[in-house]
């Protein structure tokens, strides 16, 4: 299985990604995790992206595409993988097609968790109700991430939809509800 899991911030994408990878014994590839690890290790990459991560903006396409190109070439990906948090722009989606083409591989599933904007906004607002200064900062970054998602990442779903490669999955309900729906698509 070679899966992309798309979905807005706050949709529960990370949790579902881990569940699918465990169930199907495939590698979990999260560009966000990879970059947070780089920041923690204070590598050259980490120093370059640390401020961008804090702001909720996107890291430049060239950087993430190179990261994914190297990661997908690693041996464990031969058994399958799930991409979590990549692609985040239409340019990344196109580059991914190129990288997979070079590797002689094709995606098996492009899944999108669907959660109405209104609900995502309510979740962000709730986080702010704690009222501390830190919570205010969090809310601001979360709202920024949602805006970035609408502006830059929504076109990724359109890209796959236009090619009839996208499967939309209802992201409302409990973790179990959503994972049952995802499994139905992966194992019909
Ligand atoms: P995530 O954990 O996937 O929400 O990612 C955390 C942060 O890492 C994002 O807000 C971006 O700054 C950066 N990031 C992760 N994946 C990508 C990507 N594919 N393209 C650009 N920036 C990314």
């Amino acid at each position: 299985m070679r899966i992309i899991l798309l979905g807005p911030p706050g949709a529960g994408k990370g949790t579902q990604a881990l569940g699918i990878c465990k169930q199907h014994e495939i590698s979990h590839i999260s560009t966000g995790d990879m970059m947070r690890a780089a920041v923690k290790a204070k590598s050259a990459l980490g120093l370059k992206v640390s401020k961008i991560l804090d702001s909720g903006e996107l890291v430049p396409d060239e950087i993430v595409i190179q990261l994914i190109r190297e990661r997908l070439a690693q041996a464990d990906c031969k058994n399958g993988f799930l991409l979590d948090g990549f692609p985040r722009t239409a340019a990344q989606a196109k580059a991914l097609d190129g990288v997979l083409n070079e590797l002689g591989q094709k995606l098996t599933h492009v899944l999108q968790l669907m959660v109405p904007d209104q609900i995502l906004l309510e979740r962000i607002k709730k986080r702010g109700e704690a009222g501390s200064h830190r919570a205010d900062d969090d809310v601001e970054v979360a709202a920024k991430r949602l805006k970035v998602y609408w502006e830059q990442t929504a076109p990724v779903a359109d890209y796959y939809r236009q090619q009839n490669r996208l499967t939309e999955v209802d992201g409302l309900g409990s973790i179990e509800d959503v994972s049952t729906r995802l499994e139905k698509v992966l194992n019909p």
Side-chain angles (χ1 to χ4, degrees), residues 27-150:
S27 296
H28 177 220
I29 303 181
S30 156
T31 41
D33 283 354
M34 289 164 85
M35 281 183 292
R36 277 184 291 272
V39 170
K40 210 168 159 204
K42 298 197 164 75
S43 67
L45 170 70
L47 295 176
K48 216 188 279 178
V49 302
S50 127
K51 279 216 180 77
I52 305 178
L53 259 65
D54 286 344
S55 74
E57 301 269 2
L58 295 183
V59 169
D61 285 338
E62 317 80 74
I63 294 182
V64 256
I65 290 166
Q66 184 54 26
L67 213 60
I68 282 290
R69 184 188 299 282
E70 287 167 13
R71 183 67 187 85
L72 289 180
Q74 285 171 14
D76 62 297
C77 292
K78 288 211 176 72
N79 302 325
F81 56 79
L82 179 149
L83 294 174
D84 168 9
F86 182 95
R88 279 269 228 300
T89 65
Q92 291 179 20
K94 284 182 196 142
L96 175 64
D97 278 342
V99 169
L100 289 175
N101 213 12
E102 283 165 29
L103 292 168
Q105 294 180 347
K106 272 202 173 89
L107 295 169
T108 57
H109 302 85
V110 183
L111 308 171
Q112 182 172 40
L113 286 180
M114 307 298 288
V115 178
D117 294 344
Q118 192 53 41
I119 299 218
L120 297 169
L121 284 170
E122 277 164 19
R123 286 183 190 167
I124 290 176
K125 251 208 241 146
K126 253 194 211 140
R127 280 168 69 173
E129 275 161 15
S132 69
H133 183 65
R134 173 73 224 182
D136 278 354
D137 284 355
D138 282 355
V139 166
E140 207 171 288
V141 172
K144 174 81 200 170
R145 286 162 58 96
L146 197 54
K147 185 166 176 271
V148 167
Y149 177 81
W150 287 329

